[in-house]
């Protein structure tokens, strides 16, 4: 079994194709969509968790890339810069999955990447700008 | 009282490397074990700390004269306006100052990515700062325009002067409305989705000397990673706020004006911040030593989070509309647990002031004192306290177009 969070980017020409349906039907994968955007130029971005048999998963990834999609693992899309974090904790009540949480009694902020769903709320909630992203948002603002 | 120490007695011990120092957090367990009298007999100094956003902060600069000379009239540091209404090449840069081109809340909620606080952090960090300024030209100051850059080490003076820091207690902010709001207390989710507070509680300087019996004008302190001094009482100083039996106020109360040489400070303890939808500010590290002159002062330093209370205030309507009242008081032990109960609803809490930072500041100040490099000062004068009869005023609002009534 494999369980992986990924970011898919769709070029405009295939944004209307039922890609996720194919993942389920042809590759027998389970998908849990975390976030989806389509920008004005019709490029699409989809963040989801995929689980299923390892072999099916690998075939599906190859198929996705053949369709012209880019696939990236979702972990490490959000970067917590510990050198900039002042450990105030303001982010911890904004993060919906408690990926950013407060360690007591040390009273320090901790970032658990595997819980992160790249909602990006922390990027603007952090007063010290300690949260950064590798996801290119320029076309999705 | 058996213990009767003077600041000079304490300094003797500091100089000989024998001073006994604890942080305001460590001292709690010591007192728990040994009691007030015995601890007071043994301990010379308790160190405190706080590291929170403090908007009323800024720096006076003297950038030196160009050739020919200029009387700065409008000045920008990295695009952020600095106040030039003082002598020719003196400036004051405030922490919340914003570039004229910043979209602010025209694109609500605004990001406020770079303001005065960020310039101050960059200055302290030794980065190149661009100075653009204009003037009207005079016989003595003929130059009308300058565009140059400088580093902190190249200018004459850089004096951090913060009109209001180290607030003795602060509101716990919630949002009773049905939409998210963006405040200087952070992002507040609707229907009391979270409660944000901003104090180091038991480590905070003014909770350990609640009646200002030792802190006064000229008290030497840790400021922004260097040494500084208490200059005056801070703006909005309100020592008359209602207090608990242990002397700590239940509402925002005393404040301090602080001063120090920016050139010896560190960017770690002067951090530019941006609050979504509110603006730019500066996170300032402050640590104040409390001399244990007698048992009474020792007892004040024994204060714990569970004995310090703050008011829960609605920032959707109550605070902005200046309506009286609050949603009750809550202690800092509960606030720091991460979850509080407001009228039966469980509300997650977050702090804007860094407790880990406060702890590190108190420990740093402790090590400075233990090593003999930091001695205490006798205040030149006390600060107005509970008996000063201070009443906090609001802004008079009258119509200047109308005649006297």
């Amino acid at each position: 079994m494999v369980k992986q969070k990924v970011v898919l980017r769709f070029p405009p020409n295939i944004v209307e194709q039922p890609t996720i349906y194919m993942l389920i039907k042809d590759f027998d994968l389970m998908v849990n969509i975390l976030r989806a955007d389509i920008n004005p130029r019709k490029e699409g971005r989809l963040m989801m968790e995929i689980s299923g048999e390892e072999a099916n998963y690998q075939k599906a990834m190859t198929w996705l890339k053949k369709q012209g999609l880019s696939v990236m693992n979702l972990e490490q899309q959000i970067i917590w810069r510990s050198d900039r974090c002042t450990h105030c904790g303001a982010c911890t009540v904004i993060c919906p999955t408690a990926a950013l949480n407060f360690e007591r009694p040390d009273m320090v902020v901790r970032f658990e990447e595997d819980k992160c769903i790249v909602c990006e709320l922390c990027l603007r909630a952090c007063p010290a700008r300690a949260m950064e992203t590798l996801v290119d948002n320029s076309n999705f603002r | 009282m058996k213990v009767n120490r003077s600041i000079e007695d304490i300094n003797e011990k500091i100089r000989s490397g024998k001073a006994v120092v604890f942080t305001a957090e460590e001292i709690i367990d010591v007192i728990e074990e040994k009691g007030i009298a015995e601890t007071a007999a043994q301990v010379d100094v308790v160190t405190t700390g706080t590291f929170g956003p403090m908007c009323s902060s800024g720096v006076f600069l003297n950038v030196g004269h160009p050739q020919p000379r200029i009387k700065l009239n409008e000045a920008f540091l990295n695009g952020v306006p600095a106040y030039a209404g003082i002598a020719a090449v003196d400036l004051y840069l405030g922490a919340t100052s914003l570039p004229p081109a910043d979209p602010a809340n025209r694109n609500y909620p605004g990001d406020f990515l770079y303001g005065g606080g960020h310039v101050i952090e960059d200055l302290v960090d030794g980065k190149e700062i661009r100075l653009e300024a204009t003037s009207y030209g005079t016989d003595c100051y003929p130059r009308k325009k300058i565009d140059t850059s400088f580093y902190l080490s190249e200018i004459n003076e850089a004096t951090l002067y913060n009109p209001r820091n180290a607030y003795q207690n602060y509101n716990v902010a919630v949002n009773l409305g049905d939409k998210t709001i963006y405040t200087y207390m952070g992002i507040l989710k609707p229907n009391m989705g979270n409660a944000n507070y901003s104090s180091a509680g038991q480590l905070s300087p003014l909770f350990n000397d609640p009646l200002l019996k030792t802190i006064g004008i000229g008290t030497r302190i840790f400021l922004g990673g260097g040494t500084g001094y208490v200059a005056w009482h801070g703006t909005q100083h309100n020592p008359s706020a209602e207090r608990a039996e242990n002397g700590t106020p239940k509402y925002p109360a005393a404040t301090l004006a602080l001063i120090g040489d920016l050139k010896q400070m560190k960017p770690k303890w002067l951090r530019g911040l941006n609050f979504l939808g509110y603006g730019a500010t500066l996170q300032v590290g402050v640590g104040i030593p409390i001399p244990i002159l007698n048992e009474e002062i020792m007892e004040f330093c024994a204060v714990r989070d569970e004995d310090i209370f703050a008011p829960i205030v609605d920032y959707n309507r109550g605070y902005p509309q200046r309506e009286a009242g609050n949603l009750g008081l809550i202690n800092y032990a509960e606030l720091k647990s991460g979850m509080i109960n407001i009228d039966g609803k469980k509300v997650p809490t977050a702090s804007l002031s860094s407790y880990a930072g406060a702890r590190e500041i108190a420990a740093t100040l402790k090590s400075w004192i233990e090593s003999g490099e930091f001695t205490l000062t006798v205040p030149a004068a006390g600060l107005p306290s509970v008996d000063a009869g201070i009443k906090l005023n609001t802004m008079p609002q009258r119509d200047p177009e109308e005649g006297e009534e």
Side-chain angles (χ1 to χ4, degrees):
Chain A
M1 279 292 283
V2 63
K3 197 174 190 183
Q4 180 64 50
K5 286 183 195 158
V6 295
V7 185
L8 304 185
R9 290 180 79 108
F10 299 68
N13 58 320
I14 57 167
V15 83
E16 283 168 20
Q17 291 177 20
T19 308
I20 305 309
Y21 169 78
M22 303 298 279
L23 284 185
I24 299 166
K25 183 173 160 285
D26 290 359
F27 299 95
D28 195 24
L29 295 172
M30 285 195 287
V31 300
N32 181 18
I33 296 174
L34 304 171
R35 184 175 167 185
D37 307 285
I38 298 179
N39 74 17
R41 275 178 279 168
K42 284 198 161 187
E43 288 168 306
R45 177 173 70 173
L46 187 65
M47 297 181 195
M48 60 185 183
E49 187 174 72
I50 305 176
S51 50
E53 293 298 330
E54 175 79 38
N56 289 345
Y57 176 81
Q58 294 305 342
K59 274 186 223 157
M61 292 301 111
T62 311
W63 177 78
L64 283 172
K65 284 168 193 166
K66 233 186 221 169
Q67 305 306 303
L69 279 88
S70 90
V71 186
M72 282 186 300
N73 282 354
L74 188 136
E75 282 99 25
Q76 295 161 345
Q77 296 299 298
I78 298 289
I79 312 285
W80 172 57
R81 287 190 51 186
S82 59
D83 61 320
R84 288 202 62 83
C85 177
T86 69
H87 299 281
C88 70
C91 57
T92 59
V93 283
I94 301 301
C95 178
T97 61
L100 283 159
N101 57 61
F102 219 44
E103 214 175 318
R104 296 181 168 79
D106 291 346
M107 306 299 273
V108 291
V109 171
R110 182 171 55 178
F111 181 46
E112 295 177 78
E113 277 185 354
D114 56 329
K115 291 188 190 166
C116 175
I117 55 166
V118 197
C119 71
E120 301 183 347
L121 287 175
C122 56
L123 299 185
R124 300 178 85 196
C126 173
R129 292 173 300 162
M131 304 306 300
E132 293 178 353
T133 181
L134 296 178
V135 180
D136 178 11
N137 282 314
S138 52
N139 291 326
F140 291 90
R141 285 260 158 84
Chain B
M1 282 185 275
K2 282 190 199 143
V3 177
N4 184 17
R5 250 186 225 106
S6 71
I7 302 251
E8 204 29 59
D9 295 338
I10 295 172
N11 282 341
E12 288 273 319
K13 287 184 77 178
I14 294 175
R15 282 188 214 102
S16 60
K18 288 179 187 152
V20 178
V21 190
F22 286 93
T23 71
E25 190 180 48
E26 295 164 344
I27 200 71
I28 291 169
D29 288 342
V30 178
I31 292 172
E32 175 85 359
E33 192 196 323
K34 298 182 174 175
I36 295 289
E38 195 184 330
T39 313
Q42 290 167 3
V43 175
D44 301 300
V45 185
V46 167
T47 60
T48 64
T50 186
F51 186 38
M54 305 192 196
C55 289
S56 204
S57 298
V59 61
F60 281 104
L61 305 172
N62 178 287
V63 293
H65 267 285
Q67 190 183 33
R69 294 176 192 266
I70 189 169
K71 159 69 192 89
L72 300 175
N73 189 40
E74 270 202 307
F76 300 88
L77 298 166
N78 286 351
V80 179
Y83 180 73
I86 38 183
V89 288
D90 280 351
L91 294 170
Y92 185 77
L93 174 66
T96 68
S97 186
L98 291 173
D102 192 296
N105 270 340
R106 286 189 286 276
N107 185 9
Y108 178 84
D111 280 306
F112 304 96
L113 289 175
Y114 197 83
H118 300 94
V119 181
I120 294 170
E121 180 185 333
D122 282 346
L123 253 175
V124 185
D125 202 14
K127 293 189 176 143
E128 186 175 8
I129 306 293
R130 184 169 182 179
L131 166 65
E132 296 163 282
T134 54
S135 187
Y136 41 86
T138 73
D139 292 338
C140 44
Y141 296 119
R143 186 186 277 273
K144 290 184 176 169
K145 210 175 165 197
I146 188 97
D147 187 352
T148 182
S149 74
F150 65 87
Y151 296 91
L152 180 63
S153 58
E154 296 173 322
I155 61 173
N156 292 316
E157 287 84 18
T159 311
L160 193 74
Y161 179 79
N162 303 343
R164 180 170 72 244
N165 280 177
Y167 231 126
Q168 187 182 35
N169 212 354
Y170 212 78
N171 296 335
V172 179
V174 296
N175 173 10
L176 292 183
D178 55 14
K179 290 193 193 81
T180 297
I181 58 172
Y182 303 90
T183 74
Y184 70 84
M185 291 299 288
I187 302 171
L188 300 174
K189 296 194 277 189
N191 306 311
M192 292 199 299
N194 59 309
N196 285 6
Y197 64 99
S198 190
S199 171
Q202 62 194 15
L203 258 176
S204 184
L206 295 183
F207 278 142
N208 285 278
D209 183 9
L211 306 180
L212 307 168
K213 295 204 173 209
T214 71
I215 300 169
I217 295 166
T219 295
R220 185 182 292 137
I221 62 169
F222 171 111
L223 179 59
T227 55
Y229 295 86
V230 173
W232 203 253
H233 60 275
T235 53
Q236 249 163 255
H237 181 64
N238 185 26
S240 312
E242 190 188 329
R243 284 166 192 271
E245 254 178 57
N246 61 17
T248 61
K250 298 175 182 171
Y251 303 92
T255 66
L256 300 174
L258 304 178
I259 192 164
D261 176 12
L262 192 78
K263 291 193 180 191
Q264 31 127 338
M265 297 184 190
K266 298 188 171 58
K268 178 177 181 180
W269 300 117
L270 288 174
R271 291 289 308 276
L273 302 180
N274 45 305
F275 279 88
L276 189 63
Y278 165 70
T281 186
L282 188 70
Q283 187 169 8
V284 182
V286 178
I288 303 186
I290 313 289
I292 305 305
L293 305 176
N294 52 48
E295 288 89 341
E296 184 193 18
I297 307 295
M298 185 81 271
E299 186 146 18
F300 285 131
C301 292
V303 77
R304 301 157 175 268
D305 282 334
E306 48 263 51
D307 304 321
I308 311 171
F309 290 82
I312 303 166
V313 175
D314 170 36
Y315 274 63
N316 181 56
R317 188 176 162 86
Y319 181 84
Q321 298 303 324
R322 223 186 73 204
E323 288 171 356
N326 58 61
L327 305 169
L329 300 175
I330 188 101
N331 73 51
Y332 280 95
E334 289 181 76
L335 287 166
K336 285 180 187 170
S337 76
M339 193 71 79
I340 58 173
N341 190 316
I342 308 177
D343 294 333
K345 184 175 156 71
K346 279 188 162 180
V347 183
T349 62
S351 177
L352 300 172
S353 177
S354 166
Y355 192 75
R359 201 181 253 158
E360 192 176 336
I361 289 166
T364 304
L365 183 54
K366 175 184 167 178
S367 71
W368 288 356
I369 296 170
E370 284 175 337
S371 72
E373 64 185 281
F374 185 107
T375 54
L376 310 190
T377 53
V378 180
L383 298 169
S385 187
V386 286
D387 51 3
I390 288 176
K391 185 179 146 279
L392 195 59
N393 294 317
T394 54
M395 188 185 286
Q397 284 171 284
R398 52 178 81 93
D399 187 349
E401 301 297 321
E402 278 178 25
E404 291 288 319
E405 295 209 355

